[in-house]
Amino acid sequence: MTIRELAPAKINLFLQVLGRRTDNYHELVTVFQTISLHDEVELEPCSHGIQLICDASDLPAGSENLAYRAAALLLPRTAGGVVIRLKKTIPWQAGLGGGSSDAAAVLRGLNGLWELGMSSSELAELAAQLGSDVPFFVYGGTAVGTGRGELIQPLHLSISLHLLVVKPPFGLSTPAVFRSYRPLLAEAPSVDEFLQALNSGDQTLIGKLLHNDLEAAAFELRPELAQLKEKLLQNGALGCLLSGSGSSLFAILPQGYDADQWLGLLPNGFRGFLCIPEKGNRALAAECIV
Ligand code: C5P
């Protein structure tokens, strides 16, 4: 039996840095949202060990890959092994959580394949060892993340938005963006205000209250991102924001938008993905191929 899991990308609709911690991380409050852009993870049982086969030759296929390390965390709990096949669509170094989502998909899939019977909160606890974003992807959908982003409170919301996710031809390194972060002097919306807007479903209000404290740092490192945000807003986007630590931006498009017109706004080398929010991973049912 081979198990196939979808590994969705995420955007951060809201991200506030609350302070620097003593462990080199920053204390955050963030609102995560999985989107329809996704990688695919296939898991095939084998007699022993872990083999990772990735269709993107510039990504590591050994223990530096988070998907491999996710399997290594669960391997001591089984007598068997696994071949992992990774089909990449989510751009990397993009603030879209692709590597973290692949890792969570491996944890979810192996929990089923190896009949480990672990709960989502047990998987999320293991996932936190792999990276701050990985626990969110155990759940997917809409969720609030606190701590360094690893403490997850799923929100049972069904959000309807038309999104344009833009990946520039360059990436940004998460530690570099956090290092460049300086506390904002201007007033920012609170997470409660943002969650109220999200609950109301008012797309214009949601667009207005999108917020990311890391945006100024990313824009300082790459001023062309600020220019593109301005252009998307001038053309009628309801809101536009850096996702996570970048380098991707996402824009909320108005009803009845013309896809070609929006994609036509992107500078050379920038890739655009038209997406919608996804509900939790239960909706993205794992598919078994016998
Ligand atoms: O947890 P993860 O491995 O994804 O974090 C990568 C880096 O991003 C950390 O080493 C740290 O420099 C930075 N980071 C941070 N505060 C967070 C999450 C990440 O400073 N809450």
Side-chain angles (χ1 to χ4, degrees):
M1 186 180 72
T2 298
I3 285 195
R4 182 170 153 265
E5 288 268 345
L6 298 185
K10 61 85 180 159
I11 53 175
N12 299 76
L13 297 166
F14 183 94
L15 192 157
Q16 190 177 12
V17 177
L18 302 175
R20 199 173 296 213
R21 307 176 5 160
T22 50
D23 59 1
N24 283 331
Y25 283 89
H26 290 76
E27 194 73 11
L28 304 178
V29 56
T30 186
V31 179
F32 290 111
Q33 175 65 57
T34 42
I35 57 175
S36 47
L37 174 67
H38 61 80
D39 291 341
E40 282 178 35
V41 177
E42 264 182 33
L43 302 168
E44 188 186 338
C46 67
S47 58
H48 66 279
I50 302 163
Q51 191 190 352
L52 175 63
I53 303 165
C54 180
D55 67 354
S57 55
D58 41 349
L59 283 183
S63 58
E64 318 90 279
N65 191 305
L66 277 185
Y68 184 102
R69 285 167 49 201
L73 279 181
L74 293 181
L75 193 67
R77 299 172 188 243
T78 181
V82 66
V83 179
I84 306 168
R85 288 190 186 80
L86 203 52
K87 276 193 221 163
K88 289 297 296 180
T89 307
I90 306 171
W92 42 98
Q93 281 222 316
L96 300 173
S100 299
S101 186
D102 298 341
V106 168
L107 293 178
R108 290 195 309 270
L110 289 182
N111 189 36
L113 191 69
W114 290 341
E115 297 177 354
L116 302 177
M118 294 174 72
S119 66
S120 293
S121 59
E122 285 170 320
L123 288 179
E125 207 168 303
L126 268 190
Q129 296 178 32
L130 297 167
S132 307
D133 282 353
V134 188
F136 162 66
F137 288 107
V138 169
Y139 300 95
T142 316
V144 177
T146 52
R148 58 185 168 93
E150 91 284 20
L151 304 174
I152 301 301
Q153 184 196 342
L155 300 176
H156 301 284
L157 290 176
S158 183
I159 292 163
S160 167
L161 295 173
H162 299 289
L163 299 165
L164 171 64
V165 173
V166 182
K167 168 64 176 64
F170 50 83
L172 279 174
S173 131
T174 302
V177 174
F178 270 104
R179 268 198 309 274
S180 304
Y181 162 77
R182 300 286 171 274
L184 289 181
L185 300 173
E187 277 274 302
S190 70
V191 68
D192 289 340
E193 245 178 295
F194 182 75
L195 290 174
Q196 269 176 28
L198 209 53
N199 266 308
S200 77
D202 179 339
Q203 300 192 9
T204 306
L205 189 60
I206 295 170
K208 220 169 84 182
L209 295 181
L210 294 175
H211 179 76
N212 185 345
D213 270 351
L214 296 176
E215 198 175 60
F219 285 2
E220 203 173 299
L221 293 169
R222 285 290 187 171
E224 54 270 61
L225 291 175
Q227 287 161 15
L228 180 59
K229 172 169 174 163
E230 198 49 42
K231 186 174 179 184
L232 294 172
L233 289 173
Q234 273 170 6
N235 277 273
L238 303 180
C240 182
L241 194 72
L242 182 84
S243 182
S245 58
S247 58
S248 293
L249 295 178
F250 67 90
I252 300 180
L253 304 184
Q255 295 291 340
Y257 69 90
D258 175 340
D260 289 339
Q261 184 212 321
W262 283 93
L263 293 171
L265 294 173
L266 305 184
N268 270 346
F270 284 59
R271 284 192 294 157
F273 302 89
L274 293 161
C275 305
I276 54 169
E278 284 285 355
K279 289 192 194 141
N281 287 323
R282 257 177 289 274
L284 294 175
E287 201 178 296
C288 294
I289 312 163
V290 180

